[in-house]
Amino acid sequence: QVQLVESGGGSVQPGGSLRLSCTASRNIFFFDRMVWGRQAPGKQRELVATITSSGYTGYADSVKGRFTISRDDAKNTVSLQMDNLRPEDTAVYYCNAIRVIGSRSDDYWGQGTQVTVSS
C-alpha cells in the first residue's frame, strides 16, 4: 500500500505564497503521473497541476503562471509552489499518484492539506 502525506498548507493573505509538499512511501518514479488536485467547499474536486515521470507538466487554466509543480525523485517528493494566491484558491489540496497498468490505472490519494486565502 502506498501512502502519500501532504504538508505545507495554511492561511495566507491574497497575493501571498505557499509551498505544498507531498511525500510518498515509495519512489515516485514508480508512478506515471503525480497530480495535485483541490476541492473547495460545495464544489467538485478539480485538477490543479500534474507532472509525469518524464517531467512534463500541465496546469489548470486558473493557476497557469502562478503555480509551479516540481518533483524530487531522490526525496520521493512532489511540490507545488503557489504564488500570487487568490481567495478562490481556498480549498483542500490533495496529492494523487497514478500508475497505469495496461488498460487500467491505480490511484493513490493523500489525506489533503487545507489552504485558506483570506484578508
Side-chain angles (χ1 to χ4, degrees), residues 1-7 21-25 31 34-39 45 92-98 107-114:
Q1 184 69 15
V2 176
Q3 291 185 329
L4 303 173
V5 179
E6 301 99 334
S7 62
S21 293
C22 169
T23 300
S25 60
F31 304 105
M34 299 294 295
V35 177
W36 280 100
R38 67 186 181 187
Q39 187 166 19
R45 191 171 296 188
V92 178
Y93 284 70
Y94 296 92
C95 179
N96 173 217
I98 302 171
D107 275 69
Y108 304 92
W109 291 88
Q111 293 299 308
T113 184
Q114 176 70 46

Side-chain angles (χ1 to χ4, degrees), residues 75-96:
K75 296 182 179 180
N76 300 335
T77 298
V78 175
S79 299
L80 185 69
Q81 176 66 38
M82 307 186 294
D83 298 318
N84 192 20
L85 283 160
R86 304 169 180 170
E88 54 264 39
D89 295 318
T90 296
V92 178
Y93 284 70
Y94 296 92
C95 179
N96 173 217

Side-chain angles (χ1 to χ4, degrees), residues 21-66:
S21 293
C22 169
T23 300
S25 60
R26 69 166 299 164
N27 196 314
I28 60 173
F29 196 77
F30 175 81
F31 304 105
D32 296 281
R33 278 193 303 157
M34 299 294 295
V35 177
W36 280 100
R38 67 186 181 187
Q39 187 166 19
K43 295 187 177 181
Q44 290 188 330
R45 191 171 296 188
E46 62 174 350
L47 182 147
V48 174
T50 183
I51 187 166
T52 70
S53 57
S54 301
Y56 289 102
T57 59
Y59 299 91
D61 288 342
S62 59
V63 306
K64 281 181 181 177
R66 301 188 298 122

